[in-house]
């Protein structure tokens, strides 16, 4: 397996597990069941129907979450190979990428999806930004840095 593929697999897996666990616990603390969290993700393509399909839609939501995690990891790894400073300054690159992913997801992807509109508040927004910084951008960037280093 090439170092590029290793970076994508590790970055995507870390992102999927860390972010997925955190979002499940965050919403769980607000009384929202895990199945509802993942049905919410599935509602991006199924709309409100996702909340009536039980774990079938919950598993679809989890699968979609993983697909996004591996997609954003792939994009970062491939882009960072063209920008030599990204793996070298992986903490700044990861934090910046976390903001970019947050912005793209919340300003483009979610509004264009079939997900029912829901209210947000400042504390949830701050939590989501921090999650994207620390649990999306940084793990992906750290994996890219690690495997870029081991190929030198």
């Amino acid at each position: 397996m090439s170092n590029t593929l290793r970076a994508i697999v590790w970055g995507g897996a870390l992102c999927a597990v860390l972010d997925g666990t955190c979002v499940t616990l965050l919403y769980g603390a607000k009384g929202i069941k895990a199945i509802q969290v993942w049905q919410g993700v599935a509602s991006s393509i199924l709309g409100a129907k996702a909340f009536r399909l039980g774990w079938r839609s919950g598993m679809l939501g989890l699968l979609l979450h993983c697909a996004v995690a591996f997609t954003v990891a792939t994009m970062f790894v491939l882009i960072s190979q063209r920008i030599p400073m990204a793996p070298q300054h992986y903490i700044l690159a990861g934090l910046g990428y976390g903001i970019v992913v947050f912005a793209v997801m919340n300003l483009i992807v979610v509004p264009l999806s079939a997900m029912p509109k829901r209210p947000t508040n400042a504390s949830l927004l701050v939590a989501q930004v921090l999650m994207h910084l620390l649990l999306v951008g940084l793990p992906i960037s750290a994996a890219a840095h690690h495997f870029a280093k081991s190929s030198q």
Side-chain angles (χ1 to χ4, degrees):
M1 184 184 305
S2 73
N3 282 340
T4 297
L5 189 53
R6 282 186 177 95
I8 291 167
V9 168
W10 277 99
L14 285 168
C15 172
V17 170
L18 294 172
D19 182 54
T21 300
C22 189
V23 76
T24 301
L25 294 173
L26 175 70
Y27 283 99
K30 295 181 175 293
I32 298 170
K33 296 177 183 175
I35 186 172
Q36 295 170 306
V37 170
W38 299 112
Q39 286 172 326
V41 175
S43 74
S44 65
I45 59 173
L46 299 176
K49 175 183 174 184
F51 296 100
R52 297 187 303 272
L53 297 176
W55 270 107
R56 289 183 298 166
S57 59
M59 292 305 293
L60 174 62
L62 195 52
L63 181 65
L64 290 171
H65 169 74
C66 291
V68 169
F70 282 94
T71 299
V72 297
T74 299
M75 291 171 62
F76 182 87
V77 169
L78 295 177
I79 290 168
S80 72
Q81 290 175 342
R82 306 242 187 287
I83 304 171
M85 291 174 41
Q88 294 169 356
H89 301 284
Y90 71 98
I91 293 175
L92 287 175
L95 294 173
Y97 193 61
I99 291 293
V100 169
V101 172
F102 174 81
V104 168
M105 291 301 296
N106 287 279
L107 298 175
I108 299 170
V109 176
V110 171
L112 293 175
S113 78
M115 185 179 286
K117 305 297 178 241
R118 57 186 174 165
T120 189
N121 60 51
S123 64
L124 186 57
L125 190 65
V126 168
Q128 289 176 343
V129 169
L130 288 173
M131 286 167 45
H132 279 81
L133 288 170
L134 303 175
L135 306 176
V136 174
L138 275 182
I140 291 170
S141 182
H145 168 74
H146 175 78
F147 289 105
K149 238 174 63 173
S150 62
S151 66
Q152 295 173 354

